[in-house]
Amino acid sequence: QAVVTQEPSLTVSPGGTVTLTCGSSTGAVTSGHYPYWFQQKPGQAPRTLIYETSNKHSWTPARFSGSLLGGKGALTLSGAQPEDEAEYYCLLSYSGARRTWVFGGGTKLTVL
Amino acid sequence: EVQLVESGGGLVQPGGSLRLSCAASGFTFSNYWMGWVRQAPGKGLEWVANINQDGSEKAYVDSVKGRFTISRDNAKNSLYLQMNSLRAEDTAVYYCLGGDYAGYWGQGTLVTVSS
């Protein structure tokens, strides 16, 4: 199965902007991979932030946005808050006989 | 209020079996695909299996094919994961996931495979 890659860790200053990326071992990430982004804080279940590249759930803070950037999926945080410190995971869908899903390894985001 | 509540986790010996359940409420369960995701201690998320709305289509990660079976009972608003031939590497918190654009997660149930 494919391998999905993310930055292991990133740091952003409070109020700053950071972009997390999500790459695929099979080539460019496209909208056909239906990229999802999840946030997980220590001791909690994950929470879905972004679905199908750029769509937000009702609970997704406006400062988060999703896109495709340079052949990768991207999650941009604009105006980072201390509560945004968390692990972020992307998920890509791969078509085949059965549509399968692969998570990236996660990005530990520090707000400092 | 939307809820997904997993149950059925516990300690099992290698080679043993467990059946996880996920009880859904607060949304129209039968309208959505559902899935299982796991997280080994201190590790990242791993997709395990998906099932479509009527149960006719299922998909699995390679490492569980032939050992795990996902199923659902729409009349009972419930999702299941039958896990056979369990291995130490299956030790993880298992989450059920689904609903409107994968918006809903359970709190997870811990499965420990150890002798």
Side-chain angles (χ1 to χ4, degrees), chain B residues 68-79:
Chain B
F68 290 11
T69 301
I70 189 172
S71 63
R72 65 191 297 162
D73 185 336
N74 287 340
K76 295 183 177 180
N77 291 334
S78 292
L79 176 72

Side-chain angles (χ1 to χ4, degrees), chain B residues 73-108:
Chain B
D73 185 336
N74 287 340
K76 295 183 177 180
N77 291 334
S78 292
L79 176 72
Y80 306 102
L81 187 67
Q82 177 67 44
M83 305 186 295
N84 299 330
S85 302
L86 283 161
R87 307 167 179 166
E89 54 265 35
D90 296 318
T91 294
V93 174
Y94 285 72
Y95 296 100
C96 70
L97 161 69
D100 192 25
Y101 294 107
Y104 311 140
W105 289 76
Q107 284 304 301

Side-chain angles (χ1 to χ4, degrees), chain A residues 15 17 19 27 29 33-34 45 68 79 85 91 93:
Chain A
T17 296
T19 297
V29 174
H33 289 98
Y34 304 102
L68 296 175
E85 185 162 298
L91 175 71
S93 171

Side-chain angles (χ1 to χ4, degrees), chain A residues 4-17:
Chain A
V4 176
T5 55
Q6 298 182 244
E7 298 86 0
S9 64
L10 290 170
T11 300
V12 61
S13 300
T17 296

Side-chain angles (χ1 to χ4, degrees), chain A residues 97-100, chain B residues 34 47-61 65 68-72 79-80:
Chain A
R98 289 285 183 264
R99 183 165 283 274
T100 59
Chain B
M34 297 293 296
W47 169 76
V48 175
N50 277 357
I51 187 168
N52 71 340
Q53 289 87 335
D54 65 4
S56 61
E57 294 186 13
K58 305 173 185 181
Y60 301 90
V61 66
K65 283 180 182 175
F68 290 11
T69 301
I70 189 172
S71 63
R72 65 191 297 162
L79 176 72
Y80 306 102

Side-chain angles (χ1 to χ4, degrees), chain A residues 9-62:
Chain A
S9 64
L10 290 170
T11 300
V12 61
S13 300
T17 296
V18 63
T19 297
L20 290 64
T21 67
C22 178
S24 173
S25 62
T26 62
V29 174
T30 70
S31 58
H33 289 98
Y34 304 102
Y36 277 68
W37 290 92
F38 305 90
Q39 178 192 63
Q40 187 179 34
K41 296 181 178 180
Q44 297 183 14
R47 180 172 73 147
T48 308
L49 292 178
I50 300 289
Y51 62 93
E52 296 185 354
T53 305
S54 59
N55 298 286
K56 302 179 187 182
H57 282 288
S58 59
W59 52 81
T60 304

